[in-house]
Amino acid sequence: MTGLVIRNFDTADETRPFEDGKGRLEVLNTSGGPVGRAVFEPGWRWSEHVKPLAGTDSCLAAHTGCIVSGRMTIAMDDGQRADAGPGDFIEIPPGHDAWVVGDEPCVTIDWTGYGEYAKPA
């Protein structure tokens, strides 16, 4: 184990822009694996702004994280659907779409699903 580490997403190891300028993913590579902060701009939808990068019919990443600000709807392939907002913990299995709700960017922190997320196929 290493000593104390303090990093900032503003100086991320990698930044991955979403299609049409609808946001970005900032990734920090840590000793425990990648951690990401995603900024989803109003109008962002996975099926429109990440699907072309992923090359899959729905998001196949499993996400564990929290919503920092803004709101998002998550729709599972099996029809289950829920909204998440500031302070909500999220655990989302593979097989879903998602989109921003409202006029505010949705910012999320994820410590399991952003390692390969939004990388061109």
Side-chain angles (χ1 to χ4, degrees):
M1 183 169 171
T2 62
L4 176 66
V5 175
I6 298 174
R7 309 261 325 265
N8 192 299
F9 285 104
D10 291 339
T11 55
D13 295 315
E14 184 178 1
T15 300
R16 302 176 197 153
F18 301 139
E19 297 283 311
D20 301 326
K22 288 293 183 182
R24 66 193 177 282
L25 172 62
E26 298 151 337
V27 178
L28 297 176
N29 295 312
T30 75
S31 61
V35 176
R37 173 176 72 178
V39 178
F40 303 103
E41 297 293 339
W44 175 89
R45 186 176 184 119
W46 185 90
S47 55
E48 295 175 20
H49 301 104
V50 181
K51 180 179 179 174
L53 300 170
T56 58
D57 289 335
S58 61
C59 182
L60 299 181
H63 302 285
T64 307
C66 63
I67 307 289
V68 176
S69 61
R71 297 199 65 76
M72 177 178 285
T73 297
I74 300 103
M76 301 303 300
D77 291 349
D78 68 5
Q80 184 181 6
R81 185 171 157 168
D83 286 345
D88 286 342
F89 170 80
I90 53 174
E91 236 178 341
I92 307 168
H96 58 272
D97 194 2
W99 55 90
V100 171
V101 175
D103 297 331
E104 180 184 352
C106 182
V107 178
T108 67
I109 304 292
D110 183 319
W111 48 89
T112 61
Y114 284 161
E116 298 299 313
Y117 188 83
K119 278 189 171 182

